[in-house]
Each structure stands twice: as C-alpha cells, then as structure tokens.
Amino acid sequence: SAPSAELSVAFLDVGQGDATLVRTAGGYDLLIDGGPSPSAITNALGRRLPFWDRTIDLVVLTHPDEDHVAGLLDVIERYEVKQVLAPDFPGDTAVFTRWQETIQRKGLKVTPARQGQTVDLGEGTRLEVLSPSTVAASITVDANAAAIVARLVSPSLTVLLLSDATPEVQRALVADGQQVEAHVLKLPHHGARDGLDPELLKMADPEVAVVSVGKNNRYGHPAPETLKLLS
C-alpha cells in the first residue's frame, strides 16, 4: 500500500535477532539491523513495503554480531540503500567481512556512529544516537559495548532502541544525563538475564516493552528475571 499518513515502527519477525523498520509519513524508510537470516528479513520487508518501493534511505547496523548483520547482506543486494550508519568497530567474523566487502563493492557511504549525532527523517521525526561515545568506541574490545543505542523521536511517539548494549553502557547513559525517556523500549540482548539495567528502565519509564526473540530459542530468552523486572 501507499505510505501511511502516520509514523510506523515495525519490529520485524526475523527469528533470534533484531530488525526494526521505521517509515515516516513523508515516506522515509529506515531499517535498523537485519536479523540472522537473509530470507527472513526480505520476506518481512516484502510484507511491510509496497512492491514498488525498492529504496531504503538509511540502514543502521548497531553492531557486527551475526544476528544483527547477516540479513543486511541480502538487503543491500536487493534494495537501493542510500546511506549506512554503523559503529567504527573492527568486527572479525566471516559474515562481517562479507558485509564490508559488499559495502565496498556497492560503493555505499558509511557514516561512523558517534554519541550526539542526529539524523533528520523529516516530518518532525529524528533519530538520536546516544551511544557509543568517541572514547568508548576507541577503547572497548566488546562489540556490545560499542553498539549503537538510538532514540527515535517524533511528535507522537518516542522509541528507545537499546540494541545489545551492556548494562555498563546503560548505566553510563543514565549517569551522563542522556535523554532516555520513551513510550516504547526495545530491550537489549533479546531479554537476556541481567541484560536490562533497572535504573535505565526506571528513567525510560516506557508504556510498552518489546523483546525480539526466536520461538523456542536455545538461550531461554526472554529470561523470567527480565520479564519480572518489567512487571
């Protein structure tokens, strides 16, 4: 169908991984992560995007773990991607190497993510990068600690996207006085035990919490302790 007159945020069904599609009233398409499966993400996008829409304005790769990047390989092959935002972190997996090779072959512009960046999506909507800071990104050896934490802000809806940010990163956001209040909270690390910092949850004060997991996954996500924290 044609773009809606309202902002749309869809947490896509991609199994044990993350993928979020944002479509603004002005027709701006933003995809954050692509999950672990190329077929799953392309099927999900096919259900959400009009058949004639083969352009994604911005792809955000929050960090190089396979359950976030693998699906994006197919996305950048099948769609016209205008720009990529990603952390400046040296992933060393085979799938991340393929991602870098594909990005280079396609000639895509990659902007390193840094705390304080704002992406104007039009129609009064913006994406704020809360993490990583320049210093944190340069010294960490943990991909999760360097993951992009972002806040989608519009006149009617605010969404906090924690990717797989560690509890230490979440506590740093609170200590730094970052704006984390949100109507919707996308939980980190698929609702893993001890993955969500209670103080950040208190400060965010969301009305809705979203956990992206695969059915009957072998990790036991979401953890009962995390669900109890949300109750």
Side-chain angles (χ1 to χ4, degrees), residues 8 34 53 101 125 129 150 163 186-187 194-195 198 202 212 214 217 225:
S8 168
D53 188 352
E101 292 172 347
T125 301
V129 177
S163 181
K186 204 288 294 179
L187 264 66
D194 298 329
K202 179 181 177 181
S212 183
N217 67 84
E225 296 89 341

Side-chain angles (χ1 to χ4, degrees), residues 42-212:
T42 52
N43 288 338
L45 291 175
R47 291 191 294 268
R48 290 285 178 175
L49 294 175
F51 71 88
W52 66 82
D53 188 352
R54 308 300 299 176
T55 299
I56 296 178
D57 297 280
L58 176 64
V59 164
V60 176
L61 171 62
T62 61
H63 65 303
D65 285 358
E66 185 169 349
D67 57 341
H68 294 251
V69 69
L72 290 180
L73 292 171
D74 225 37
V75 171
I76 59 178
E77 290 284 6
R78 292 172 177 260
Y79 289 83
E80 179 188 350
V81 175
K82 293 185 177 180
Q83 191 171 354
V84 176
L85 181 69
D88 189 12
F89 186 85
D92 57 2
T93 63
V95 68
F96 186 68
T97 298
R98 286 176 56 203
W99 158 263
Q100 291 179 308
E101 292 172 347
T102 307
I103 287 288
Q104 186 175 19
R105 174 168 52 82
K106 289 283 189 177
L108 296 177
K109 178 183 177 181
V110 180
T111 300
R114 290 290 183 267
Q115 185 181 77
Q117 288 171 328
T118 298
V119 181
D120 184 3
L121 309 185
E123 307 296 319
T125 301
R126 65 186 183 275
L127 186 72
E128 301 173 345
V129 177
L130 307 185
S131 186
S133 67
T134 302
V135 173
S138 65
I139 65 174
T140 185
V141 296
D142 182 356
N144 292 334
I148 296 175
V149 175
R151 186 169 176 256
L152 179 72
V153 181
S154 79
S156 60
L157 181 70
T158 303
V159 183
L160 181 61
L161 301 150
L162 289 177
S163 181
D164 282 350
T166 63
E168 291 77 15
V169 168
Q170 296 170 50
R171 287 192 284 271
L173 292 176
V174 174
D176 290 346
Q178 295 284 342
Q179 294 293 316
V180 297
E181 297 87 354
H183 299 104
V184 180
L185 172 67
K186 204 288 294 179
L187 264 66
H189 212 72
H190 321 292
R193 183 171 64 87
D194 298 329
L196 177 63
D197 179 65
E199 187 62 24
L200 181 133
L201 176 62
K202 179 181 177 181
M203 295 298 294
D205 192 26
E207 299 173 18
V208 176
V210 176
V211 187
S212 183

